[in-house]
Amino acid sequence: MSALYSTKVTAVGGRSGKIRSDDGLLDLRLAMPTVLGGKGGATNPEQLFAAGYAACFENAVIHVARTTPQKVKDDDILVVAEVGLSPNTTGGFVLSAALDVTITGLDQASAEALVAAAHTICPYSNAVKGNIDVQITTTTK
């Protein structure tokens, strides 16, 4: 299967280094968070993962919403992603994720159905399925 899109990002220096995409649009310093004993002051891989998951999941909700009779504007959907880093029992680390989805203009049952359908098509959700604990909360306004 050929990819619809692919990108390449190079990392140098690990969590205290920098990253740069092949097109130069992403060019960031990285720093270990202060709560993990680092200097802070720059982004970290967990923030980048949370940003990607939030944006991708929101787009999945938008995509599914376009197939339903209830019309939801793109700006009526808000996704906040929280990514956690925890030690595991073998001396390594694991991630966890929580998605807080708010949809304006739908009843609770319709919003939950929309979010459940989005979770089945989102590339991030499919990538982490069975590997990362993902909690999803859906609210309406």
Side-chain angles (χ1 to χ4, degrees):
M1 175 184 337
S2 63
L4 295 173
Y5 171 75
S6 66
T7 187
K8 190 182 299 184
V9 176
T10 301
V12 175
R15 288 178 167 272
S16 297
K18 61 184 210 169
I19 56 172
R20 187 171 196 284
S21 61
D22 59 349
D23 61 8
L25 293 175
L26 182 65
D27 191 358
L28 299 171
R29 290 182 314 109
L30 300 175
M32 183 79 77
T34 55
V35 299
L36 295 177
K39 294 180 184 178
T43 194
N44 60 67
E46 291 73 32
Q47 288 176 328
L48 295 168
F49 187 82
Y53 202 170
C56 191
F57 194 85
E58 182 172 10
N59 203 74
V61 175
I62 290 168
H63 177 77
V64 173
R66 289 187 177 141
T67 67
T68 64
Q70 304 102 332
K71 295 303 171 201
V72 179
K73 293 182 268 176
D74 295 359
D75 291 345
D76 289 340
I77 303 164
L78 174 74
V79 176
V80 177
E82 181 178 350
V83 171
L85 176 68
S86 305
N88 66 14
T89 58
T90 62
F93 299 91
V94 295
L95 295 175
S96 60
L99 301 174
D100 185 6
V101 183
T102 304
I103 303 176
T104 301
L106 289 184
D107 62 86
Q108 187 67 31
S110 297
E112 288 175 4
L114 194 66
V115 168
H119 193 45
T120 67
I121 67 163
C122 173
Y124 274 69
S125 292
N126 286 325
V128 303
K129 192 180 299 180
N131 296 310
I132 295 177
D133 181 35
V134 178
Q135 301 296 316
I136 300 177
T137 304
T138 305
T139 56
T140 61
K141 282 186 174 182

